[in-house]
Each structure stands twice: as C-alpha cells, then as structure tokens.
Amino acid sequence: MAGNAEMASLEESFRKFAIYGDTKATGQEMNGKNWAKLCKDCKVTDGKSVTSTDVDIVFSKVKGKTARVINYEEFKKALEELAPKRFKDKSKEEAYEAICQLVAGKEPINVGVTKAKTVGAVERLTDTSKYTGSHKERFDESGKGKGKSGRENIVDTSGYVSAYKNAGTYDAKVKK
C-alpha cells in the first residue's frame, strides 16, 4: 500500500475538503458535495472513464444506508472503488496508489471568487491618512482602526481625577 507519510497527507486532504464550505464541520465526516468537489479538484474525474455520475454512485455505495456523510475509512473505500475505473491499465493496488497520489496534499480550489480591486475613487476614499475631523480619531498612525476606543469616549471610573500624576498609588501607600 501507500507510504505512511502519504496516508497522513491523504487524511489531511480529506479533512480540508470535509470542512470546505461548512462552518460547523469538524473534519471527521465528508458530505456528497465535498466528495464531488474533491474528485473534481484533484482530477480524479476525467470526463471519460470517471464522470461526476460515477463519483456520486460510489459515494452512495460506501456510505451507510441512512447516512448522508462518509468518514475517513469509507473515503478510502470510495477511492478503492474509483481507482480501477480511473486507471484501467494498472493493477488494483497500483491504481489505488496512483489515485491516492492524486488526492494527497491537495486543498479545495476557490473557483469564481472575485478579487476586490481598488480603483481611483475607492483608493482615495479608503486612505485613512486623508481623513479629517472626528473620523481621523478612529484610526492610528498606521491606518489601522482603533475599534471601540476610536468611536466612543470611554469614561475613566478609577476614582481619580483625570491627569492626576499619582493615580493608582494609593494601595502601595496604605500597605506600608
């Protein structure tokens, strides 16, 4: 079978694809959508010998009767099912190793994600060094926002008068 390091990177790929697009996912189980994405992104589906329909059928075969997800062991079984179909000219073991190499170490690809680009007016409007008045107080010298302290006047409730130079020294004097 495949090497130990390869199995670790195969499991890492499984976890990355399992949590893709789902904020509540733990990485222990993968749904059908993410299984199909893994097969597509790792070039397991080639459009000829392995199609998206084949991928869906294999997923349905390896998952439990009422389950909607597969775990890592079922994932390896699914790869074993697809391997001879994808690599027809190789033996079952060689095909499994080859399909593991396709998947190992891969991450989900973000396709169709638009990049935010700044053009003339936007750049001028978002340059914090040109801000004036109360807006200027919301950012430090580097242009990073100050958060709540930049929006509100936070009241000092320490009990000392503002700008009192010995503020916070009472406890030290009383202990002596």
Side-chain angles (χ1 to χ4, degrees), residues 134-149:
S134 63
H135 303 294
K136 191 176 199 173
E137 303 300 318
R138 293 180 47 216
F139 300 93
D140 60 11
E141 296 79 36
S142 67
K144 189 163 169 45
K146 290 183 183 177
K148 189 174 182 179
S149 64

Side-chain angles (χ1 to χ4, degrees), residues 9-118:
S9 77
L10 184 70
E11 191 168 358
E12 184 62 30
S13 290
F14 170 79
R15 295 197 191 299
K16 285 179 182 175
F17 277 95
I19 61 171
Y20 180 77
D22 187 4
T23 54
K24 293 183 220 71
T26 60
Q28 303 298 316
E29 297 174 325
M30 180 184 289
N31 60 22
K33 176 181 72 78
N34 288 358
W35 163 247
K37 178 162 182 58
L38 177 137
C39 291
K40 187 173 152 239
D41 288 357
C42 297
K43 307 221 177 352
V44 173
T45 53
D46 59 358
K48 293 178 184 141
S49 56
V50 178
T51 62
S52 61
T53 308
D54 296 325
V55 168
D56 292 338
I57 290 169
V58 167
F59 182 82
S60 296
K61 259 191 214 176
V62 296
K63 73 176 178 59
K65 202 75 153 168
T66 57
R68 293 175 156 232
V69 291
I70 59 173
N71 60 25
Y72 182 64
E73 293 306 313
E74 292 168 329
F75 166 74
K76 288 197 294 191
K77 262 188 239 161
L79 287 179
E80 278 182 52
E81 289 268 334
L82 278 180
K85 202 166 188 152
R86 174 70 164 85
F87 300 101
K88 289 183 171 126
D89 54 333
K90 296 183 179 179
S91 70
K92 202 167 190 172
E93 289 80 25
E94 287 177 336
Y96 179 66
E97 267 193 47
I99 208 165
C100 285
Q101 287 174 353
L102 281 178
V103 176
K106 296 284 190 338
E107 292 184 7
I109 301 167
N110 291 331
V111 179
V113 177
T114 56
K115 301 263 190 279
K117 59 179 188 178
T118 56

Side-chain angles (χ1 to χ4, degrees), residues 161-166:
V161 179
S162 64
Y164 178 60
K165 67 180 181 181
N166 294 323

